[in-house]
Every structure is written in structure tokens, then in C-alpha cells.
């Protein structure tokens, strides 16, 4: 079933949240478009700021000082601003206190940098329902968040956590690509367990590792190629007694990718 993309779910949910909380402000680094629901509902709290460079950070600082909750959606490409490197743009906004939304394509190079930011929850939700829940949580929280959301067509990624059958492995999915691959592998081998990570920052990943450690055995992580190694390193350091393997999840996984997951689980 096709649902809203991560970005569209974010825009829709933030618009609803802003109807209940007048402190919520939306800033986008792309050129203004007519179909933005937040602008239509709350034009006095929406700002389209392409190519603004450090001005965006200054606006975030001012909004925070005035008691607002700024959400900054960073658009990939030239709209991120020519005066400031993309990494500096989202990093400076986070440090100024904004919740930043960025694309999976522009994010992985900065994973370690976000991870080291103390007190910044890092979320990579999957599917419309999970994305909406993460946006609501970020709006309620006093902390700035980093949300990694895609622009592509959404897909229903509903799933239920499951413990593995005896003598089988557990899949740990990260991101939309990783979750699609894990679900496809479980459809082929229902006995596999499945745990799904939404938050990847140091504090919340450590808490998740405590839960994961209650089941000892092999784990196979499925995640986008550029994200896989950092996640593997983080989990292996927290689960030293377990075998933690990884399989890269391409944008469009096929049968060969599923077989690679099954082979890793059986190894």
C-alpha cells in the first residue's frame, strides 16, 4: 500500500501539531511551493529560505530565544545554500536548538558528527505512522532532534517485532531500505526474528542494546550501504558477546539481496 513519503508525512504531521502548539515554526531551505500544508495552515509561522547560508542559523537562534520551536527541513542540492557547506548548515541549526530534517542521501557522511552531539536524538523512522509518531515526540521534547526522512513515494512498512525461533538468527533493520529488505527476508523465512531500530543516537542506541542483549545469538543488520558500517560498529561495541553481521540494503532490493540475508543468517 502506498502512503505518504517521509517528508510529506513530516509536513502533514507538523502542520497538525502546530495547530495545537503555536510555538512550532517551520523553515524550509527549498524554494516556496504552493502545496506546502504548513504554509497554507500557518502562513505566519512558515519560512522558505533557499540560499540563505548563516542567516538561517541566526533565525533559529532568534526564534529559540523568543520561545519558539523551530523545525528546519534541509533540502538536498543547491537549495542547501551556497554560502555554507551542507554539513555546516544542519550542524549549526542543531547546535542553535532547531530540530533538523534531512534526506538519507545527504545524511550518512555526517552520522558520526550527529552521534557525537550530546543530547540530540537521531531518528530514522520508517513509514508514515512511525514518522508521524517521531514528529510528535520531537515537538513535545525540549531537545533538538535530527530526523532523517526521504522524499520518495512512501510504502506501508507496518511490521510486528518478533523473537527468533530456536537456533535461528535475528534481523535488525535500520531505515526504510533496511526494513524493506528485512521484511522480504522474513517473508521467505518466517522463523527469523526481527528487531527494528528507530533512534540511532548514542543514548538511545545503548538503551536498545540492553534489550537486544536479552537474546544471545546471531544478529544480521540490514541498512543502506553508507549507513551499515557505522551501525555495525556501534552495535558490536555494545553486544561484545554476540555475532553481529551486516547486509547492505539497496534502494530496490531483489531476490539476490534476500538470499544474501538468508545466507548471513544461516552462516
Amino acid at each position: 500500500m502506498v502512503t505518504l513519503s517521509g517528508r510529506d508525512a513530516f509536513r502533514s504531521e507538523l502542520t497538525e501539531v502546530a495547530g495545537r502548539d503555536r510555538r512550532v515554526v517551520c523553515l524550509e531551505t527549498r524554494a516556496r511551493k504552493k502545496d506546502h500544508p504548513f504554509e497554507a495552515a500557518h502562513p505566519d509561522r512558515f519560512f522558505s529560505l533557499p540560499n540563505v547560508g548563516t542567516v538561517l542559523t541566526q533565525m533559529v537562534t532568534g526564534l529559540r530565544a523568543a520561545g519558539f520551536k523551530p523545525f528546519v527541513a534541509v533540502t538536498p542540492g543547491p537549495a542547501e545554500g551556497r554560502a555554507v557547506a551542507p554539513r555546516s548548515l544542519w550542524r549549526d541549526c542543531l547546535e542553535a536548538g532547531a530540530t533538523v530534517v534531512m534526506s538519507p542521501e545527504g545524511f550518512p557522511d555526517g552520522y558520526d558528527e550527529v552521534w557525537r552531539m550530546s543530547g540530540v536524538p537521531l531518528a530514522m523512522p520508517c513509514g508514515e505512522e512511525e514518522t508521524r509518531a517521531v514528529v510528535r515526540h520531537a515537538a513535545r521534547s525540549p531537545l533538538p532532534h535530527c530526523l532523517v526522512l526521504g522524499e520518495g513515494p512512501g510504502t506501508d512498512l507496518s511490521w510486528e517485532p518478533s523473537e527468533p525461533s530456536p537456533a535461528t538468527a535475528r534481523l535488525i533493520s535500520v531505515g526504510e531500505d533496511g526494513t524493506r529488505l528485512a521484511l522480504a527476508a522474513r517473508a521467505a523465512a518466517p522463523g527469523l526474528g526481527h528487531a527494528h531500530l528507530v533512534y540511532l543516537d548514542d543514548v538511545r542506541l545503548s538503551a536498545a542494546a540492553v534489550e537486544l542483549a536479552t537474546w544471545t545469538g546471531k544478529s544480521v543488520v540490514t541498512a543502506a550501504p553508507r549507513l551499515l558500517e557505522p551501525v555495525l560498529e556501534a552495535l558490536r561495541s555494545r553486544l561484545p558477546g554476540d555475532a553481529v553481521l551486516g547486509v547492505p540494503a539497496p534502494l530496490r532490493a531483489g531476490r539476490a539481496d534476500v538470499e544474501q540475508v538468508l545466507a548471513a543468517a544461516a552462516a
Side-chain angles (χ1 to χ4, degrees):
M1 180 177 68
V2 176
T3 62
L4 292 178
S5 70
R7 285 293 182 107
D8 286 339
F10 158 74
R11 295 176 181 120
S12 175
E13 189 63 34
L14 192 68
T15 301
E16 294 183 19
V17 169
R20 303 186 295 270
D21 187 346
R22 290 195 56 80
R23 297 172 298 170
V24 172
V25 177
C26 180
L27 304 96
E28 293 242 4
T29 65
R30 70 173 187 173
R32 176 175 272 105
K33 292 188 176 182
K34 296 180 180 180
D35 59 349
H36 202 298
F38 196 104
E39 182 179 19
H42 315 291
D44 58 328
R45 287 180 280 152
F46 177 83
F47 301 91
S48 176
L49 301 166
N51 305 322
V52 293
T54 56
V55 174
L56 180 59
T57 307
Q58 294 168 0
M59 284 192 66
V60 168
T61 301
L63 287 167
R64 288 286 293 175
F68 289 97
K69 292 182 176 180
F71 283 70
V72 177
V74 178
T75 303
E80 287 175 330
R82 298 185 181 90
V84 180
R87 178 177 293 192
S88 298
L89 183 63
W90 57 254
R91 181 193 62 209
D92 292 347
C93 286
L94 280 172
E95 290 178 344
T99 286
V100 173
V101 178
M102 55 198 309
S103 69
E105 296 79 13
F107 168 73
D109 286 339
Y111 177 82
D112 290 341
E113 194 164 356
V114 177
W115 200 18
R116 288 193 298 267
M117 286 186 173
S118 177
V120 176
L122 167 60
M124 193 172 289
C126 296
E128 181 178 344
E129 182 178 348
E130 196 168 272
T131 298
R132 288 180 178 275
V134 166
V135 172
R136 291 193 297 270
H137 180 270
R140 291 193 302 267
S141 173
L143 300 174
H145 284 52
C146 181
L147 312 182
V148 183
L149 305 173
E151 287 273 17
T155 304
D156 182 13
L157 293 175
S158 57
W159 58 278
E160 293 293 335
S162 59
E163 285 298 321
S165 300
T168 60
R170 169 184 55 197
L171 307 180
I172 301 176
S173 63
V174 178
E176 291 195 351
D177 296 339
T179 303
R180 287 192 188 95
L181 180 55
L183 291 175
R186 284 206 70 237
L192 291 172
H194 182 200
H196 171 61
L197 297 179
V198 178
Y199 289 92
L200 302 178
D201 56 279
D202 184 47
V203 172
R204 288 151 193 84
L205 194 59
S206 294
V210 172
E211 294 185 41
L212 293 172
T214 60
W215 183 85
T216 57
K218 183 187 301 178
S219 296
V220 179
V221 179
T222 56
R226 295 172 68 189
L227 187 63
L228 183 59
E229 285 304 320
V231 173
L232 282 175
E233 181 179 349
L235 287 175
R236 284 168 178 164
S237 68
R238 290 165 172 77
L239 301 169
D242 295 348
V244 182
L245 308 178
V247 175
L251 182 61
R252 294 177 179 83
R255 180 61 194 175
D257 301 294
V258 172
E259 290 177 353
Q260 188 177 357
V261 174
L262 299 180

